[in-house]
Amino acid sequence: MVRGKIQMKRIENESSRQVTFSKRRNGLLKKAYELSVLCDAEVALIIFSQKGRLFQFSSSNMENTIEKYLEHAKEKETTTNNTEVRHVQHLKNEEAFMTKKIELLESSKRKLLGQGLGTCSVEELQDIDSQLEKSLKNIRARKAELYKEDIEKLKAKEKSLFEENTRLREKCGIKPNQTQEKQKENASCSQSTVSLDVATDLFIGLPFNPQ
């Protein structure tokens, strides 16, 4: 007959609870004894019932085993405390290092902004000048890159408008005139301008014929 799975919670029936306590207590004491004999281990087991009654087993001397346990626990606590102390000290050192680094960065920032230069040596001023030159070079390069991207976008828009103009003219059966050929030529030869103000001379729709 298969035993049902016992739910791990307090047994409400007092008689059943007492019977279960006696059975499992005896089984636990037996297992402790077997462990000490089979594995030559020092085992100490202490059990207090609900009413405070003591049950115990010791493979040697209970007091010696408890004393050994207390010494081991004390050593572990000391080791843990030392580890915590080292960790706290490490955090303090990290904090001091970061504080010093922030102060140096703030001082460098003020000097780059032209503040507090009175105490700088010639070498420091040369280093600041070199940093500024490098920063300006990067700024100019990025600015030129943005200009180039904008010009490419405007050229693409110009080409799209030109193609739309051509499509509308073809749809209306109108042949390209000299002005439109000039526009096509300008659209293909506007590679040298580095400016955001790109003007187009496009005309969409029917040509204007003055009388």
Side-chain angles (χ1 to χ4, degrees):
M1 181 176 179
V2 180
R3 295 178 59 186
K5 185 176 181 181
I6 299 177
Q7 189 175 5
M8 286 294 108
K9 68 176 185 177
R10 183 177 181 272
I11 300 174
E12 298 298 334
N13 185 276
E14 185 176 355
S15 298
S16 299
R17 186 167 63 245
Q18 183 61 38
V19 171
T20 302
F21 174 78
S22 299
K23 289 182 178 179
R24 291 182 177 265
R25 178 201 63 207
N26 293 335
L28 189 58
L29 292 171
K30 180 180 178 181
K31 291 294 183 183
Y33 168 74
E34 292 174 352
L35 179 63
S36 64
V37 174
L38 295 175
C39 302
D40 194 22
E42 184 176 352
V43 180
L45 175 63
I46 300 175
I47 302 174
F48 285 98
S49 68
Q50 185 182 13
K51 296 181 179 180
R53 187 177 177 184
L54 173 64
F55 302 90
Q56 64 180 7
F57 166 80
S58 177
S59 59
S60 57
N61 183 278
M62 177 64 76
E63 293 181 357
N64 292 339
T65 303
I66 292 176
E67 184 178 353
K68 185 184 295 186
Y69 165 77
L70 293 175
E71 291 178 356
H72 179 77
K74 185 177 180 180
E75 291 177 359
K76 185 176 181 180
E77 182 179 0
T78 302
T79 303
T80 302
N81 291 337
N82 291 338
T83 302
E84 292 178 353
V85 169
R86 287 195 297 269
H87 181 64
V88 171
Q89 185 62 41
H90 174 72
L91 293 178
K92 289 182 178 179
N93 294 337
E94 285 288 327
E95 180 183 7
F97 173 77
M98 294 303 297
T99 301
K100 185 65 176 179
K101 188 174 182 179
I102 291 173
E103 291 176 355
L104 292 175
L105 290 174
E106 290 179 346
S107 176
S108 177
K109 178 183 176 181
R110 288 193 296 270
K111 290 178 181 178
L112 289 174
L113 293 175
Q115 302 173 2
L117 300 177
T119 58
C120 293
S121 63
V122 176
E123 290 77 8
E124 289 177 328
L125 293 174
Q126 289 177 345
D127 183 60
I128 294 172
D129 182 68
S130 176
Q131 293 182 46
L132 291 174
E133 286 292 338
K134 185 177 180 180
S135 298
L136 286 174
K137 183 178 179 181
N138 293 335
I139 292 172
R140 293 190 183 104
R142 179 55 181 166
K143 185 178 179 181
E145 183 180 351
L146 292 175
Y147 281 165
K148 184 178 179 181
E149 291 176 358
D150 289 337
I151 290 172
E152 292 298 329
K153 292 178 181 178
L154 290 173
K155 287 180 180 178
K157 185 176 181 179
E158 181 183 18
K159 182 179 179 182
S160 176
L161 291 173
F162 181 83
E163 292 175 352
E164 179 67 14
N165 192 10
T166 303
R167 186 183 66 80
L168 292 174
R169 286 178 175 274
E170 292 177 351
K171 185 177 181 180
C172 296
I174 301 174
K175 296 181 179 180
N177 54 22
Q178 185 176 3
T179 302
Q180 193 174 14
E181 292 295 335
K182 181 68 173 178
Q183 293 169 357
K184 184 176 181 180
E185 180 180 354
N186 291 338
S188 61
C189 299
S190 57
Q191 303 293 330
S192 60
T193 305
V194 185
S195 173
L196 289 176
D197 300 328
V198 178
T200 59
D201 189 20
L202 297 177
F203 177 80
I204 300 177
L206 297 176
F208 175 71
N209 294 322
Q211 298 296 331

